[in-house]
Amino acid sequence: MVKQAKPNLSVNIGNLVLHNPVMVASGTFGYAEEFKELMDLKKLGAIVTKTITIKPRPGNLPPRTCETPAGMLNSIGLENPGIGRFIKEKLPFLKKLGIPVIVSIAAEDNPEEFSVLVRQLDKINTVSAIELNISCPNLQKDRLISQDAKETFALVGAIRKLTKKCLITKLSPNVTSVPEIALAAQEAGSDAIALINTLTGMSIDVHKRAPKIGSWVGGLSGPAIRPVAVRMVWEVYNKINIPIIGMGGIMDIESALEFFIAGATAVGVGTANFINPRASLEIISGLEKYCHKNKINSIKKLTGLLLRC
Amino acid sequence: MKNFQLKAKILSQTEIKDNYWYCELSAPQVAKNALSGQFINIRVSDNLDPLLRRPISIHRVSGAKIKIFYEVVGKATEILAQKKKGEYLDIIGPLGNGFEYSRITKKSYKRKNILVAGGMGVAPLVFLAEKIKFNKPLVLIGAREKEQILCSQEFKALGCKVIIATDDGSLGFKGKVTELLKEVLSLNQQASKAENIYACGPQPMLKAVAQISCANNIASQLSLERHMACGFGACLGCVVATKSGYKRVCKDGPVFSGKELTW
Ligand SMILES: Cc1cc2nc3c(=O)[nH]c(=O)nc-3n(C[C@H](O)[C@H](O)[C@H](O)COP(=O)(O)OP(=O)(O)OC[C@H]3O[C@@H](n4cnc5c(N)ncnc54)[C@H](O)[C@@H]3O)c2cc1C
Ligand SMILES: Cc1cc2nc3c(=O)[nH]c(=O)nc-3n(C[C@H](O)[C@H](O)[C@H](O)COP(=O)(O)O)c2cc1C
Ligand code: FES
């Protein structure tokens, strides 16, 4: 019998080539150092950093997390050291790993801040791609950029002019139509769409009659949001032609596969990192096995391979 | 600080009184590296609810074994208590910073270190008492009533002097353990010259211990509890306010100097 060749797991996101399509989601992996003893970081497809802003941000009032059925709420509030200290203190470790580093960025008050950040990151070789986090629910804003197609178009368009690096736009599920926003990002020149960020939620301690987290409402993540995320990836896949990085409640190989079949080119592992730090590595080997078993020679062929029920 | 994820075999599970359990685990790497005040983060089941790991202090270490002491209070601890000897537990540890006691030497005066425990707060302090037992620390244990006073025999076996406080007066001093601490410091010549106060327990107790230590010019080290999503510094969820900004209880703590916290 001829031995079947190893399935090809590499994928392209804009001009970026990933060795495999499994990355870790922003804010759930710190700046990778926290995981160095718990797993072999070099095996990851890419690392997405915690979102950074121009100035250091102390973050939101604690308590910042609570558990919910099959999920959790968080209101970290983008605590980060600011771009200066990020470059000095966090980037050197990421550089040593030799895998693609995707830097997630956000603006605190003014969309102009994105331009300032991108100009700085554009000059750094270690930065393989930039993810525009226009969907953080924890900034205590009335409205997010990713909740408006016109604003999304304007922002992504402005940033596109500033860099040739791979540009990923991360979208919020807290909208009436994600495909509409995704389309705006694509038309403005985004290389890929990452979705979903957390769903806004609330949980109440009935004994104290108080919200369980300090900012009252926060972002819901984990397996509880998976069906919503899969649906959104599928809807967006049918509308756009740039790659989708799918995430939301991925815990294991089976849940990751759902996203590929729905239309994702790559996946992001988030909350699962807290529970099983090796989840993303298990997914990588699971993908290999699945492709092998189903005689799929390249993972790219699995994207959107959805049949009727 | 080194940490590991491993499947630890349960060597024993004993309910010492209603809802309070001792559990011994075979975890060689954790045992070898554990410091007093550190904890492990346990995944009690592969199911999705409860989803997150649960932090539990390292109570004692011997050879390749670690022992934990826990109270059944909810979903995860209930599942934990149903585990049987021979089963495996998915743990990450040792985590956190641990108590600092390197300056305590055999030459330090006896009873110059005071341990203050409220309720389950005894759990990490027994390990500390073992590390500084040559100094014969003074241990103050408080709880609502007699039945909830834990580990006093363990402390005594390590050569500690133990004084008990209960809210209802059913055993020892009647009142809060922090009132007892105040009294001990004012009445007892030796104790008033204490070098360190180590404490673990509910937040209001820790706050009072910090104030009392400060007023008496004694350094304090407090072991805090916060809700934790990861337990190893990645999520920034478990922060506490300090003079130098928010710090992570799981990684920069759980032990903080009383002077550092802003409450
Ligand atoms: C660093 C650290 C060390 C700890 N060491 C020990 C130990 O040695 N022994 C021990 O019995 N417990 C310890 N705890 C507390 C333990 O983690 C909680 O009791 C446990 O997570 C409860 O899980 P559960 O699913 O059984 O309860 P849940 O169903 O989650 O909650 C039940 C009740 O317990 C309360 N609770 C839940 N988590 C915590 C928490 N982290 N702190 C305080 N109250 C909580 C909830 O508010 C609720 O009222 C420690 C906590 C921390 C942060
Ligand atoms: C504690 C926590 C912090 C997060 N921080 C960020 C962040 O800084 N930037 C961002 O774009 N997304 C952030 N997210 C969202 C995740 O990247 C991801 O989109 C979301 O959690 C859904 O995936 P999951 O269910 O696998 O966690 C955070 C999520 C969690 C749970
Ligand atoms: S629990 Fe995640 S940083 Fe402390």
Side-chain angles (χ1 to χ4, degrees):
Chain A
M1 208 174 82
V2 189
K3 201 169 173 247
Q4 207 181 324
K6 239 184 168 190
N8 181 359
L9 290 189
S10 80
V11 296
N12 303 55
I13 311 275
N15 57 14
L16 181 66
V17 183
L18 301 185
H19 192 61
N20 72 65
V22 182
M23 49 180 91
V24 287
S26 176
T28 63
F29 213 69
Y31 303 95
E33 234 180 312
E34 290 78 6
F35 286 80
K36 68 176 180 218
E37 279 160 355
L38 298 171
M39 61 185 285
D40 184 357
L41 293 164
K42 293 192 170 81
K43 289 193 173 149
L44 289 169
I47 285 173
V48 187
T49 68
K50 171 82 189 160
T51 299
I52 55 164
T53 48
I54 297 180
K55 283 188 263 160
R57 269 182 71 86
N60 288 345
L61 192 73
R64 292 177 175 178
T65 59
C66 75
E67 194 177 64
T68 60
M72 62 173 282
L73 281 175
N74 89 79
S75 78
I76 308 302
L78 299 190
E79 175 176 339
N80 80 89
I83 186 157
R85 276 180 53 208
F86 164 76
I87 292 171
K88 241 177 48 214
E89 295 168 20
K90 310 292 180 188
L91 211 51
F93 177 81
L94 291 165
K95 183 178 180 172
K96 272 195 300 198
L97 296 175
I99 58 171
V101 175
I102 302 175
V103 179
S104 169
I105 57 172
E108 291 181 271
D109 301 310
N110 189 332
E112 267 301 299
E113 295 166 36
F114 276 108
S115 309
V116 176
L117 290 161
V118 169
R119 281 201 185 90
Q120 248 179 299
L121 294 172
D122 186 54
K123 289 183 257 171
I124 303 172
N125 275 336
T126 312
V127 179
S128 319
I130 297 169
E131 183 168 282
L132 305 173
N133 177 5
I134 53 171
S135 49
C136 179
N138 291 325
L139 286 170
Q140 281 146 3
K141 293 259 163 63
D142 296 338
R143 207 166 46 97
L144 307 166
I145 297 175
S146 67
Q147 286 171 331
D148 186 302
K150 279 199 193 104
E151 279 185 44
T152 303
F153 182 82
L155 178 83
V156 177
I159 298 301
R160 183 71 285 176
K161 293 197 189 87
L162 302 177
T163 184
K164 292 208 165 53
K165 281 194 199 286
C166 171
L167 205 59
I168 301 164
T169 310
K170 183 154 181 192
L171 299 186
S172 167
N174 306 307
V175 294
T176 347
S177 165
V178 197
E180 189 191 324
I181 315 282
L183 201 56
Q186 171 177 289
E187 282 172 1
S190 188
D191 291 306
I193 299 293
L195 85 151
I196 59 177
N197 209 317
T198 53
L199 277 159
T200 34
M202 185 170 182
S203 186
I204 294 171
D205 181 330
V206 296
H207 306 292
K208 295 185 190 150
R209 269 187 265 124
K212 284 192 186 165
I213 54 176
S215 57
W216 294 46
V217 295
L220 181 64
S221 66
I225 68 169
R226 190 190 305 147
V228 179
V230 172
R231 185 261 294 179
M232 288 180 169
V233 167
W234 176 71
E235 280 178 350
V236 170
Y237 177 70
N238 289 323
K239 196 88 175 189
I240 65 170
N241 44 43
I242 53 175
I244 299 168
I245 302 160
M247 67 193 81
I250 295 177
M251 295 300 288
D252 48 24
I253 175 61
E254 185 156 340
S255 42
L257 284 166
E258 273 196 74
F259 282 81
F260 286 102
I261 298 166
T265 295
V267 293
V269 178
T271 302
N273 295 315
F274 304 153
I275 300 144
N276 175 14
R278 287 196 286 252
S280 36
L281 302 188
E282 289 167 11
I283 291 168
I284 297 167
S285 54
L287 284 177
E288 223 163 63
K289 279 195 203 114
Y290 182 84
C291 287
H292 193 85
K293 194 172 156 208
N294 292 281
K295 305 202 164 46
I296 298 170
N297 60 8
S298 162
I299 188 74
K300 291 176 192 155
K301 295 194 178 147
L302 188 61
T303 298
L305 202 65
L306 184 63
L307 309 173
R308 290 186 174 281
C309 60
Chain B
M1 246 162 277
K2 261 191 138 24
N3 51 52
F4 307 87
Q5 181 184 0
L6 63 138
K7 297 258 189 241
K9 189 173 185 175
I10 298 176
L11 303 172
S12 73
Q13 266 269 53
T14 325
E15 188 171 23
I16 57 152
K17 58 169 100 175
D18 266 2
N19 289 328
Y20 291 94
W21 294 76
Y22 278 136
C23 173
E24 281 181 306
L25 300 167
S26 166
Q29 300 103 307
V30 180
K32 192 168 157 228
N33 291 280
L35 306 172
S36 70
Q38 288 189 304
F39 64 95
I40 57 171
N41 215 0
I42 307 177
R43 187 177 185 189
V44 297
S45 87
D46 291 342
N47 298 336
L48 299 180
D49 196 17
L51 182 69
L52 301 170
R53 289 174 180 269
R54 294 296 194 268
I56 300 285
S57 306
I58 298 170
H59 178 60
R60 296 200 85 154
V61 169
S62 87
K65 281 192 298 197
I66 60 168
K67 191 175 184 183
I68 55 172
F69 181 35
Y70 64 94
E71 181 186 359
V72 174
V73 295
K75 274 189 290 208
T77 42
E78 220 158 83
I79 296 170
L80 183 57
Q82 278 155 23
K83 302 261 173 206
K84 299 276 176 296
K85 181 178 163 178
E87 286 183 60
Y88 286 82
L89 266 190
D90 177 352
I91 66 170
I92 297 178
L95 296 165
N97 59 352
F99 293 108
E100 165 57 43
Y101 54 86
S102 59
R103 288 219 299 258
I104 303 174
T105 62
K106 289 203 167 72
K107 285 189 198 128
S108 308
Y109 290 114
K110 271 189 188 174
R111 314 240 185 274
K112 272 205 151 180
N113 291 286
I114 306 177
L115 277 47
V116 185
M120 254 336 284
V122 291
L125 291 174
V126 171
F127 191 12
L128 175 67
E130 191 165 358
K131 293 282 184 190
I132 57 169
K133 65 180 176 194
F134 54 81
N135 184 249
K136 306 216 181 307
L138 171 63
V139 181
L140 312 181
I141 309 177
R144 274 195 300 280
E145 38 136 10
K146 183 173 146 187
E147 275 309 299
Q148 289 161 341
I149 294 292
L150 306 164
C151 295
S152 63
Q153 288 312 320
E154 277 191 67
F155 284 114
K156 281 180 194 157
L158 290 167
C160 307
K161 180 176 166 66
V162 176
I163 312 179
I164 285 163
T166 50
D167 294 356
D168 66 354
S170 51
L171 191 67
F173 177 88
K174 183 171 189 299
K176 297 270 173 218
V177 72
T178 46
E179 289 160 16
L180 171 63
L181 174 65
K182 262 193 219 164
E183 224 169 87
V184 165
L185 291 178
S186 64
L187 295 179
N188 184 322
Q189 277 286 319
Q190 214 173 8
S192 68
K193 283 183 261 153
E195 284 165 350
N196 298 288
I197 297 181
Y198 297 91
C200 184
Q203 174 98 354
M205 178 201 110
L206 295 179
K207 192 172 171 179
V209 170
Q211 283 162 346
I212 298 165
S213 316
C214 218
N216 287 277
N217 252 321
I218 304 169
S220 63
Q221 288 183 38
L222 315 173
S223 178
L224 305 191
E225 256 188 39
R226 282 294 180 279
H227 186 268
M228 292 179 180
C230 71
F232 45 86
C235 74
L236 309 179
C238 62
V239 299
V240 60
T242 73
K243 284 183 183 152
S244 42
Y246 283 131
K247 291 217 168 143
R248 298 163 299 183
V249 170
C250 70
K251 184 98 178 176
D252 309 308
V255 180
F256 292 89
S257 132
K259 278 201 214 118
E260 206 181 340
L261 300 168
T262 54
W263 307 100

